[in-house]
Amino acid sequence: KLQFLYFIGKTVCSRKDETMRHDAYYYSLLLLIALLRYPNGAEAATCSDFTCPNGYGPKTNPITTCSLAVCSTSECCDAYNCAGGPATGGVGVDYAACRSVFGCTTGTACNQLATGGVCDPGCLNGFRKTGGVSFQITCSSLGAYSDVSATQCTVNTCTLGPRTPTPGVDYSVCNTLTTSLPCTPVCSEGYSTVTNATPFILNCNNIANDAPGSYYDDNSGLICSKLPCNGQVRNPQANVLYNSCVGLSTGDTCSPQCTTGYAKTAGSAFSIVCSSDGSFTDSSGIQCAPSTCSNGPTTATPNADYSSCNVKTTGEMCTPMCRSGYSGTSASFALSCQNGQYVDNSGLSCVPTSCSGVQSVSPGVDYTQCNQLKTGSVCTPQCLAGYQKSSGSAFTLLCTPLYADSSNTVCVKLGCNQGPLNPQPGVDYSSCNLLTTGQSCQPSCLTGYTTATPPTAFTTQCTANGYVDSSGIVCTGNPCTGGVVNPAAGASYATCSQLQSGGTCTPSCQQTYVKTSGGSFTLQCVNNVYTDGSGIVCAKQLDECSTTGANVCSAAGQLCSDPSFITMGDWTCSCSPPSVGVPSTTSPAQCALNECTPNNVCAQNGQTCTDPTAALNDWYCSCVAPAQGVATAAQATCTYVGECAQHASTCTSRGQACYDQNTTSPNDWQCTCVPPLIGSPALLSPTTCYIDECTNNPTCSAAGQQCRDPDTSSTSRNDWQCLCAAPMSGTQTAAQAACTLDECENNFQVCASKGQTCLDKNKSPASKGDWECVCVSSVGSAVGGPATCTYSGECAPYSSICTSAGQACVDPSTGVGDWYCQCVSPQVGPPGDQGPASCVFDECGLPAAAVCKNNNQLCTDPNTSPSSIGDWRCVCNTPSVGTKQGAAATCTFDECTSHGSTCSTVGQTCTDPDTRVSAVNDWVCQCLPPATGAASVQQASCVFSGECVPYSNVCTSKGQTCVDPSAGVGDWQCQCVPPQTGAAVMGAPATCILDECTVYNTCQQANQVCEDPNTSPSSKGDWKCSCAAPSVGVSVGGAALCVLDECIVKGNAVCNGAGQVCKDPDTSPTSLNNWVCSCVHPAAGAATMGTATCVQSGECVPYSSVCTSNG
């Protein structure tokens, strides 16, 4: 028994399921009761005696005998099933739901349990559990059971709306209801019904979160469509544009904007809702405020003031005004500002105000020009007559109508230190010259003068050039008939004693005297006598060749020369031709007679002449090596070698020798010149020989002179010349020249620059420093420099206008405004009316330029401007070429210039080995490499190679050469012959051009532009030189004569603007800043590089500015 109890206990404790443990415990208690009741055993128990507990019923086929003395429920009873459900259920409680608590198996509903099972009721869809516990179920025989769980289920509200909402549907009515209630949604505002809604029962739940607010399914079937908007706004806001909202439908985004002139301060885009009539409500919250106009108008009217408008905003009225100094009428307009700017619709137009005068006048300042201008014009105040500007600048006028002077112009009184513009003869102005403008002047007569008309004091009005003497004083010069008180030795004063005070005295030297120094002086005669202030020195003249020298030289049969008539002991003896020898001073020269000099017997046959001694008839002729032969006092018989044995006569007939440079090679013999003749050898023909007789000729150099041989041909003898060295002039053939010295040749410009002429009365080389400047159309002269000229009439105040241009002033009558400027010799040109004349100066008329004529050359002066000095040049006669400035040219004659076409027409080059004028007929045609060949005075026979042998004529017929660059076939080319250029062409003539600007550098040397309008090889001589801007001028085939009229470039604008005329007296490109403004007759006045101060008459005095301000 104990073992059985142990088994029962062990069985109970081993049960894992709580129910099973409960049953085992129950069974064990029954067994224990049975053992205790029937300790000695009992009869077996049966189910018929067993009563089933509540929730159980007898088995249909119970067992007969129980296993123990007491039957168990499991042996006799079956549990009732609870399929009938609870007898009384809670609202919303779901008994079909299974909860995983207290042994309820997942998926098992309470209604599927039997008695003894554990039930945990849940809540139906649409409800949520708010109370209750699980319980052990007891089922009745009818399948019903009592719910003792106290479960509470609270109905859900559908606040979260449908799980899948239909677009355009309004669920607001449903979202306030609870589960089990019926719902009928409608279309939202802005939508129309397409398919009507069917009412449905709400079932609100939230599976994810069992919360009070729940979702539900929309089973209404309602379909809605968007309504369109027509742009009509039910609540339009001020200054707002709804253009972006037109054409939208409900749900689209609308972005209203502010109208022009307004800026958004609040609001945003919104989702539009359209009503059935197409209108909508603006829910953007937009606010538009007027824009500020601080940036001014988009296009401002010139000189308008918008300050009052720029502080306003859109919608306000704007009335712009004109700035100070301008006037105009304006209309008001409403502002509409965008980005701070606005359009000016006022129609305002502002015009400058005319100036009526200056607010505050500065001393000495002339505002006449400014008073005639308007606001915005630039004014440069000038100084009144008698004042000079010391500072100041131009300024822009602001007229209201008076204007303020902001030029800072300061005009100071001019001093009268320049003296009177119209000085009267013999008047002393020293006291007046110390004054300034506005002071009183009363001149007196100088010493040596007598007052004929007493002066009247006058108020000075000083200018930069001086002041006008209006005193009326007249002083007459005292006579000088008493003569000089300090006469110089050898000087003559005959002309001076006939003058009076103020006259210019230029003493001269008496006969047999020569002036060595001294000049002119102004006479100042007191008591009819005067003092010599010239500094003249007269030296005694003596030609030593007329005394001692003549006796010594002539006794030796020689020539005598005395280079100076003053210096003693400088006479020389020189050999008389044909004798030669070095000249000797104060003694006979050592002369010798070379019998070969006058003898041309040898030279006529190409032989040399030798005179071994001073004895007569011992000269002999020698053959030129390698020929052999000699003969005394006769031509030799020469033995020649090689080809010269056959061809020597070709050379000797021309007085030339024959030379075979290689006796084994044919056709290489040459004709050569025989000394003293020189020249280049000529192949197979006579050459050209010449002789310069100045070589080894000391006659000219002994006297300090230059030797020149104008014709160096072999047949021209004894034509050499001695030329005096500069600055002296003179020439002599085959002897020393007698030289003269005109000092005006180098000093004339000193006088001409002041409108005076130069005079050298004594042209002896020993007489120096006695040249003088002489006034033209006025009184005055001075030695060694410009004279002080005394002008009269209108030339008294205006002579400086002429003299500053190097011209003289002439006043032909006592009338007004008829003075003119006149060119001074050697300048020529028509007179200038109240202004400088247009003078030209051709330097080829100067004595120095005679060197061109003496050398059989032309003289040209490329620039005849008076300011262009020393640019004359000698030019060789055609066909010779050559030029030299200020001296004789070295002429050359390139025969290829006239014969070159003979070579070029067949593709050969022309060379002239000797380009001296006397060397003729020595030009050569040369084949271009790789071809070989040359010929004198004719086309060469060229030897070509390769494919050029049969095809060379294709090229040469076009004046081109043929080149075969390789041994290949068909690669021969025609090439251009320099100076022609062009790409070579294979198998055909090339296209060649000839740019003559690359051949001639004439334009480049003259700083001009070269142009060849036609570069065809057949077009020659059409190249031209053009002057560089701003100068103008063009010349074909040579340098152009350039002209620069400054009146065209600048002067006309200045002069014409003031009613004056402009004249450029010197249009040379190198003569600048000499243009002159001249007043128009009858007004008088002129000024260089600026407007003149015109002296008007009559009513033009007060009113001339009316005209001149308009030009």
Side-chain angles (χ1 to χ4, degrees):
K1 291 180 181 178
L2 290 174
Q3 289 178 336
F4 180 76
L5 287 174
Y6 172 74
F7 170 78
I8 291 302
K10 183 178 180 181
T11 301
V12 172
C13 293
S14 66
R15 297 301 184 192
K16 295 180 178 180
D17 187 271
E18 184 179 356
T19 302
M20 295 300 294
R21 287 197 301 273
H22 183 274
D23 290 345
Y25 178 69
Y26 179 71
Y27 294 154
S28 65
L29 286 177
L30 292 178
L31 289 173
L32 178 59
I33 293 172
L35 290 174
L36 293 175
R37 185 177 180 180
Y38 307 103
N40 297 318
E43 294 180 351
T46 62
C47 291
S48 58
D49 297 326
F50 187 81
T51 301
C52 293
N54 188 26
Y56 291 86
K59 288 183 179 289
T60 303
N61 296 309
I63 59 175
T64 302
T65 303
C66 297
S67 59
L68 297 175
V70 180
C71 292
S72 64
T73 302
S74 59
E75 290 177 308
C76 299
C77 303
D78 287 328
Y80 287 132
N81 190 287
C82 295
T88 303
V91 178
V93 179
D94 182 7
Y95 297 97
C98 176
R99 297 290 182 265
S100 298
V101 294
F102 302 116
C104 179
T105 303
T106 299
T108 303
C110 296
N111 294 344
Q112 296 174 335
L113 299 176
T115 296
V118 177
C119 177
D120 183 12
C123 293
L124 294 172
N125 278 339
F127 293 83
R128 66 184 183 282
K129 191 171 184 179
T130 57
V133 297
S134 61
F135 65 96
Q136 189 173 36
I137 196 168
T138 301
C139 306
S140 68
S141 60
L142 299 178
Y145 59 88
S146 297
D147 178 9
V148 295
S149 66
T151 297
Q152 294 181 3
C153 291
T154 304
V155 65
N156 283 337
T157 304
C158 300
T159 56
L160 298 182
R163 288 187 178 83
T164 306
T166 300
V169 175
D170 181 6
Y171 293 97
S172 58
V173 64
C174 301
N175 295 346
T176 60
L177 301 178
T178 59
T179 298
S180 302
L181 295 178
C183 171
T184 305
V186 297
C187 288
S188 299
E189 184 182 4
Y191 290 83
S192 61
T193 302
V194 177
T195 301
N196 292 327
T198 300
F200 65 97
I201 300 301
L202 290 169
N203 186 1
C204 308
N205 58 78
N206 188 348
I207 295 176
N209 180 19
D210 194 12
S214 302
Y215 293 99
Y216 57 89
D217 293 324
D218 176 11
N219 297 319
S220 67
L222 176 63
I223 298 176
C224 304
S225 65
K226 296 179 180 181
L227 288 173
C229 292
N230 59 10
Q232 182 179 356
V233 187
R234 289 191 289 273
N235 61 332
Q237 304 301 309
N239 304 306
V240 177
L241 291 176
Y242 295 94
N243 296 342
S244 63
C245 305
V246 177
L248 301 181
S249 299
T250 296
D252 293 339
T253 299
C254 171
S255 300
Q257 302 295 326
C258 294
T259 59
T260 301
Y262 292 82
K264 182 162 49 176
T265 57
S268 61
F270 67 96
S271 180
I272 197 169
V273 176
C274 307
S275 63
S276 58
D277 62 357
S279 63
F280 64 91
T281 298
D282 177 6
S283 60
S284 66
I286 189 171
Q287 294 180 9
C288 296
S291 298
T292 60
C293 303
S294 58
N295 293 337
T298 55
T299 302
T301 297
N303 303 306
D305 180 6
Y306 294 92
S307 57
S308 62
C309 302
N310 296 346
V311 297
K312 297 183 178 181
T313 60
T314 295
E316 294 185 276
M317 298 303 292
C318 165
T319 307
M321 307 298 290
C322 288
R323 287 171 42 207
S324 178
Y326 295 85
S327 60
T329 56
S330 173
S332 299
F333 65 97
L335 289 167
S336 177
C337 306
Q338 188 172 13
N339 298 323
Q341 288 188 297
Y342 53 90
V343 176
D344 178 6
N345 295 319
S346 67
L348 177 63
S349 177
C350 298
V351 296
T353 303
S354 297
C355 299
S356 62
V358 66
Q359 295 174 359
S360 178
V361 178
S362 298
V365 178
D366 182 4
Y367 295 97
T368 303
Q369 176 192 4
C370 305
N371 296 342
Q372 300 165 358
L373 302 178
K374 297 180 179 180
T375 294
S377 300
V378 176
C379 171
T380 305
Q382 304 298 321
C383 291
L384 294 170
Y387 290 81
Q388 185 177 33
K389 184 184 291 186
S390 63
S391 63
S393 61
F395 71 100
T396 302
L397 288 166
L398 178 62
C399 309
T400 60
L402 294 177
Y403 58 90
D405 177 7
S406 59
S407 67
N408 297 320
T409 299
V410 176
C411 295
V412 296
K413 291 183 178 182
L414 283 173
C416 296
N417 58 324
Q418 296 296 323
L421 293 170
N422 57 335
Q424 303 303 309
V427 178
D428 181 6
Y429 294 97
S430 58
S431 62
C432 299
N433 295 346
L434 300 174
L435 304 178
T436 59
T437 293
Q439 293 182 298
S440 178
C441 166
Q442 186 170 357
S444 60
C445 289
L446 291 167
T447 301
Y449 289 83
T450 301
T451 303
T453 301
T456 300
F458 65 95
T459 301
T460 57
Q461 191 177 61
C462 308
T463 68
N465 297 322
Y467 55 93
V468 176
D469 174 11
S470 57
S471 68
I473 187 173
V474 176
C475 299
T476 58
N478 296 332
C480 301
T481 55
V484 63
V485 296
N486 60 333
S492 173
Y493 299 90
T495 58
C496 301
S497 298
Q498 300 172 1
L499 303 176
Q500 59 185 16
S501 291
T504 300
C505 172
T506 307
S508 59
C509 290
Q510 300 173 9
Q511 290 185 354
T512 72
Y513 286 85
V514 63
K515 183 189 288 187
T516 59
S517 63
S520 302
F521 69 99
T522 301
L523 288 167
Q524 191 177 54
C525 304
V526 179
N527 298 324
N528 297 337
V529 296
Y530 57 93
T531 300
D532 179 6
S534 66
I536 188 172
V537 176
C538 296
K540 184 72 173 180
Q541 280 187 329
L542 177 61
D543 184 355
E544 294 181 279
C545 284
S546 62
T547 57
T548 307
N551 297 332
V552 174
C553 299
S554 60
Q558 299 176 15
L559 303 174
C560 179
S561 62
D562 185 2
S564 169
F565 292 161
I566 301 175
T567 304
M568 303 300 293
D570 60 347
W571 56 275
T572 60
C573 291
S574 57
C575 300
S576 298
S579 297
V580 293
V582 177
S584 176
T585 302
T586 69
S587 63
Q590 297 296 320
C591 301
L593 175 60
N594 187 346
E595 292 182 281
C596 288
T597 300
N599 199 334
N600 62 354
V601 175
C602 305
Q604 289 176 349
N605 203 38
Q607 301 172 15
T608 60
C609 179
T610 305
D611 187 1
T613 69
L616 298 176
N617 297 323
D618 61 343
W619 59 276
Y620 59 87
C621 293
S622 301
C623 300
V624 179
Q628 297 180 350
V630 63
T632 300
Q635 292 180 351
T637 300
C638 300
T639 301
Y640 292 94
V641 295
E643 292 182 285
C644 284
Q646 177 183 357
H647 299 290
S649 60
T650 303
C651 304
T652 57
S653 64
R654 297 286 292 273
Q656 301 170 19
C658 183
Y659 173 65
D660 189 357
Q661 55 186 339
N662 188 343
T663 58
T664 63
S665 175
N667 296 325
D668 61 349
W669 60 274
Q670 300 175 336
C671 289
T672 62
C673 298
V674 178
L677 299 179
I678 58 176
S680 301
L683 185 67
L684 309 181
S685 63
T687 186
T688 300
C689 302
Y690 66 94
I691 181 172
D692 189 345
E693 294 183 278
C694 287
T695 303
N696 299 323
N697 188 343
T699 304
C700 301
S701 60
Q705 300 176 11
Q706 177 188 358
C707 182
R708 186 181 69 88
D709 189 355
D711 187 354
T712 57
S713 63
S714 59
T715 58
S716 177
R717 301 295 178 89
N718 296 321
D719 58 345
W720 57 275
Q721 300 172 336
C722 287
L723 288 80
C724 297
M728 295 182 289
S729 60
T731 182
Q732 182 64 48
T733 302
Q736 293 177 350
C739 302
T740 60
L741 175 61
D742 187 347
E743 292 183 280
C744 283
E745 289 190 24
N746 289 333
N747 297 303
F748 77 92
Q749 189 62 17
V750 175
C751 305
S753 65
K754 299 298 183 181
Q756 302 170 19
T757 58
C758 182
L759 176 64
D760 188 0
K761 298 178 180 179
N762 190 338
K763 296 180 176 58
S764 168
S767 177
K768 298 179 179 179
D770 57 347
W771 61 276
E772 55 186 286
C773 291
V774 180
C775 299
V776 179
S777 300
S778 59
V779 179
S781 63
V783 176
T788 300
C789 301
T790 301
Y791 286 92
S792 60
E794 289 185 290
C795 284
Y798 298 120
S799 61
S800 60
I801 296 173
C802 304
T803 57
S804 62
Q807 301 170 21
C809 181
V810 179
D811 187 0
S813 71
T814 58
V816 177
D818 59 348
W819 65 274
Y820 59 86
C821 293
Q822 174 179 283
C823 301
V824 176
S825 178
Q827 300 179 23
V828 295
D833 183 16
Q834 296 189 43
S838 297
C839 303
V840 297
F841 176 31
D842 189 346
E843 293 183 277
C844 287
L846 294 176
V851 67
C852 303
K853 182 179 180 182
N854 295 336
N855 286 274
N856 296 320
Q857 298 174 12
L858 301 175
C859 179
T860 62
D861 187 356
N863 189 343
T864 57
S865 163
S867 62
S868 177
I869 305 299
D871 60 343
W872 64 273
R873 60 193 62 188
C874 292
V875 180
C876 300
N877 283 297
T878 307
S880 302
V881 294
T883 181
K884 188 169 184 180
Q885 183 172 313
T890 299
C891 300
T892 60
F893 176 34
D894 188 347
E895 293 182 280
C896 286
T897 58
S898 55
H899 298 292
S901 59
T902 302
C903 308
S904 63
T905 54
V906 290
Q908 300 174 16
T909 59
C910 179
T911 57
D912 187 355
D914 190 345
T915 57
R916 283 175 301 184
V917 177
S918 58
V920 295
N921 296 326
D922 58 345
W923 56 278
V924 177
C925 286
Q926 185 78 40
C927 302
L928 268 71
T932 60
S936 296
V937 200
Q938 61 181 350
Q939 294 175 352
S941 297
C942 300
V943 178
F944 290 93
S945 60
E947 291 183 287
C948 285
V949 173
Y951 296 117
S952 61
N953 64 318
V954 176
C955 305
T956 58
S957 63
K958 299 296 184 181
Q960 302 170 21
T961 190
C962 182
V963 176
D964 189 0
S966 71
V969 179
D971 61 346
W972 62 276
Q973 302 173 342
C974 287
Q975 290 185 351
C976 301
V977 177
Q980 298 181 25
T981 60
V985 176
M986 187 180 297
T991 300
C992 303
I993 63 172
L994 175 59
D995 187 349
E996 293 182 279
C997 287
T998 62
V999 179
Y1000 305 102
N1001 62 352
T1002 305
C1003 304
Q1004 182 181 2
Q1005 290 178 341
N1007 293 322
Q1008 299 176 12
V1009 180
C1010 182
E1011 179 187 4
D1012 188 357
N1014 188 343
T1015 56
S1016 169
S1018 61
S1019 176
K1020 297 179 180 179
D1022 57 345
W1023 58 278
K1024 57 184 178 181
C1025 294
S1026 300
C1027 300
S1031 300
V1032 295
V1034 65
S1035 177
V1036 177
L1041 176 60
C1042 301
V1043 173
L1044 174 58
D1045 190 339
E1046 291 186 280
C1047 286
I1048 296 176
V1049 178
K1050 177 170 54 179
N1052 282 339
V1054 176
C1055 303
N1056 298 161
Q1060 301 173 18
V1061 294
C1062 179
K1063 179 177 291 186
D1064 188 353
D1066 189 345
T1067 56
S1068 167
T1070 60
S1071 175
L1072 302 176
N1073 300 325
N1074 60 345
W1075 54 275
V1076 176
C1077 288
S1078 299
C1079 303
V1080 178
H1081 186 75
T1088 302
M1089 293 179 59
T1091 55
T1093 300
C1094 299
V1095 178
Q1096 305 285 348
S1097 60
E1099 291 183 287
C1100 284
V1101 173
Y1103 297 116
S1104 60
S1105 61
V1106 177
C1107 308
T1108 57
S1109 63
N1110 288 278

